[in-house]
């Protein structure tokens, strides 16, 4: 495995070193007190759902309560920094998305934490984004949106600077040669609300948050950025089918703990996460939210994040993407 990205090389070394330690003593009494799951985006999104779903399962198995706490802001940096500085004992776990670690280091000049301060428990699931517009724009196809972008321009909402929606807007401007004004909000839910209210023309936002409003006709769906069509709305074309393969983009939902967390504890959490997410009822809910199970742990999770980071580093360099 060739990991050339310096941002993730240290994290990979930590993961590999930790796998060499298999003494289970430190995990024998874990958990013996409440666990805190921190999401670094507002309540109501997929990360919040995943935290609550896994938390309910762990509570049912261990009888220890799991508290979910939302700490949004700064593209996920606030919540990630909180977890990075928490005790490395498995009692504080971050639920978030990859861009906090794969985009933010390139666009924030002063990060309070480094990606290597945290290690992945699991890359849990992935999701595409949906290009959706307010009906008042009159857009019926992606071609309509591009035509306006080449003319008077567009404004797009996103879940914040450095979020997948911001990244997609930058890629979109570059790939389609159009003008877009990026309007950041504090999370996916308020960014979707902005499209619903007509505060912005459109957004490239997490599919699960957009689809309910597409089905009621309050948002017009133009494309999805995933490699395959949505399972919940297979009539929506992919960007590749429409000739914009460079816009393909998938969000990775990750769970992280401080890098020094003992390996036996991490392994217990990995098993709990796997068991929780593979439950038939959870799998059905994931499908309904257009989330695809990944289940990557250890070096496989680190490599997936490193690959994302290398791609997005090139995007930031070529587009001049920056924090608004």
């Amino acid at each position: 495995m060739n990991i050339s990205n310096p941002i993730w090389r240290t994290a990979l070394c930590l993961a590999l070193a930790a796998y060499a330690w298999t003494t289970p003593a430190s995990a024998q009494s874990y958990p013996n007190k409440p666990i805190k799951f921190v999401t670094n985006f507002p309540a109501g999104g997929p990360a919040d759902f995943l935290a609550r779903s896994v938390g309910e399962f762990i509570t049912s198995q261990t009888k220890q309560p799991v508290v979910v706490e939302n700490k949004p802001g700064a593209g996920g940096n606030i919540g990630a920094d909180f977890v990075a500085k928490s005790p490395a004992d498995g009692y504080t776990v971050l639920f978030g998305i990859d861009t906090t670690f794969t985009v933010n280091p390139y666009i924030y000049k002063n990060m309070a934490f480094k990606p290597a301060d945290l290690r992945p428990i699991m890359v849990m699931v992935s999701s595409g984004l949906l290009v959706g517009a307010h009906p008042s724009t009159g857009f019926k196809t992606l071609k309509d949106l591009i035509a306006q972008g080449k003319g008077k321009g567009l404004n797009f909402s996103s879940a914040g600077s450095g979020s997948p929606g911001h990244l997609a807007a930058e890629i979109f401007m570059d790939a389609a040669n159009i003008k877009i004004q990026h309007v950041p909000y504090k999370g996916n839910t308020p960014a979707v609300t902005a499209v619903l209210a007509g505060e912005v023309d459109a957004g490239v936002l997490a599919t699960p948050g957009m689809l309910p409003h597409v089905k009621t006709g309050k948002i017009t769906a133009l494309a999805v950025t995933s490699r395959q069509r949505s399972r919940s709305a297979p009539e929506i074309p992919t960007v590749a089918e429409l000739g914009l393969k460079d816009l393909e983009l998938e969000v990775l939902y990750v769970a992280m703990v401080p890098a020094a967390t003992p390996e036996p504890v991490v392994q217990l959490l990995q098993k709990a996460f796997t068991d929780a997410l593979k439950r038939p009822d959870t799998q059905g809910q994931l499908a309904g939210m257009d989330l695809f199970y990944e289940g990557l742990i250890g070096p496989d999770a680190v490599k997936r994040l490193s690959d994302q980071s290398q791609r997005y580093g090139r995007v930031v360099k070529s587009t001049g993407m920056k924090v608004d």
Side-chain angles (χ1 to χ4, degrees):
M1 177 168 36
N2 178 23
I3 300 295
S4 59
N5 190 330
I7 290 175
W8 281 99
R9 190 182 298 121
T10 302
L12 177 60
C13 290
L14 286 167
L16 291 173
Y19 264 75
W21 177 34
T22 57
T23 304
S26 62
Q28 288 178 352
S29 62
Y30 177 86
N32 58 18
K33 63 180 182 179
I35 302 172
K36 179 182 290 185
F37 283 175
V38 176
T39 68
N40 55 354
F41 286 92
D48 189 70
F49 162 77
L50 290 164
R52 295 181 190 282
S53 181
V54 174
E56 288 171 4
F57 176 80
I58 289 177
T59 296
S60 72
Q61 298 298 303
T62 68
K63 309 308 177 187
Q64 290 294 341
V66 176
V67 178
V68 178
E69 186 174 333
N70 302 100
K71 289 185 176 293
N77 286 347
I78 292 174
D81 180 56
F82 176 85
V83 175
K85 290 179 171 57
S86 297
D89 55 10
Y91 288 97
T92 307
V93 181
L94 176 71
F95 279 70
I97 59 176
D98 68 283
T99 53
T100 301
F101 312 98
T102 59
V103 176
N104 289 6
Y106 298 109
I107 64 173
Y108 283 86
K109 291 182 178 179
N110 298 303
M111 296 257 296
F113 73 98
K114 300 184 296 293
D117 293 339
L118 293 153
R119 60 174 294 189
I121 294 174
M122 179 180 286
V123 175
M124 298 173 286
V125 300
S126 62
S127 172
L129 302 177
L130 188 147
V131 186
H134 189 271
S136 67
T137 62
F139 302 152
K140 300 298 182 185
T141 67
L142 197 60
K143 185 177 179 180
D144 296 334
L145 181 146
I146 291 172
Q148 178 166 313
K150 289 182 180 294
K152 68 178 185 178
L154 302 158
N155 50 34
F156 274 21
S157 65
S158 83
S161 295
S163 69
H166 181 194
L167 185 69
E170 296 288 345
I171 295 173
F172 204 101
M173 281 192 287
D174 190 53
N177 192 28
I178 60 177
K179 296 176 289 184
I180 294 175
Q181 175 65 46
H182 168 234
V183 184
Y185 288 79
K186 293 183 178 180
N188 196 72
T189 300
V192 172
T193 300
V195 179
L196 283 169
E199 294 175 9
V200 294
D201 298 315
V204 188
L205 302 167
T207 303
M210 297 279 266
L211 277 181
H213 308 295
V214 169
K215 294 187 179 298
T216 61
K218 294 179 180 178
I219 290 178
T220 303
L222 305 177
V224 291
T225 68
S226 49
R227 287 167 290 178
Q228 54 193 326
R229 290 194 177 202
S230 163
R231 291 175 294 184
S232 301
E235 70 279 4
I236 304 172
T238 68
V239 289
E241 291 171 337
L242 299 173
L244 283 170
K245 186 173 176 59
D246 287 345
L247 188 58
E248 279 188 348
L249 183 69
E250 292 179 320
V251 182
L252 303 180
Y253 291 87
V254 299
M256 299 273 198
V257 287
T261 302
E263 178 62 17
V265 172
V266 171
Q267 290 181 353
L268 285 175
L269 286 169
Q270 287 168 343
K271 184 180 186 308
F273 276 55
T274 300
D275 292 345
L277 295 175
K278 283 191 171 181
R279 290 179 297 175
D281 60 330
T282 304
Q283 285 288 306
Q285 289 174 302
L286 293 178
M289 297 173 70
D290 237 33
L291 299 172
F292 297 86
Y293 179 74
E294 298 281 344
L296 300 177
I297 62 174
D300 290 336
V302 173
K303 184 180 186 303
R304 183 71 182 275
L305 292 167
S306 177
D307 290 346
Q308 292 278 82
S309 180
Q310 291 181 57
R311 180 195 177 193
Y312 297 156
R314 293 191 294 268
V315 169
V316 171
K317 184 177 180 179
S318 66
T319 64
M321 178 178 170
K322 59 184 180 180
V323 178
D324 291 310

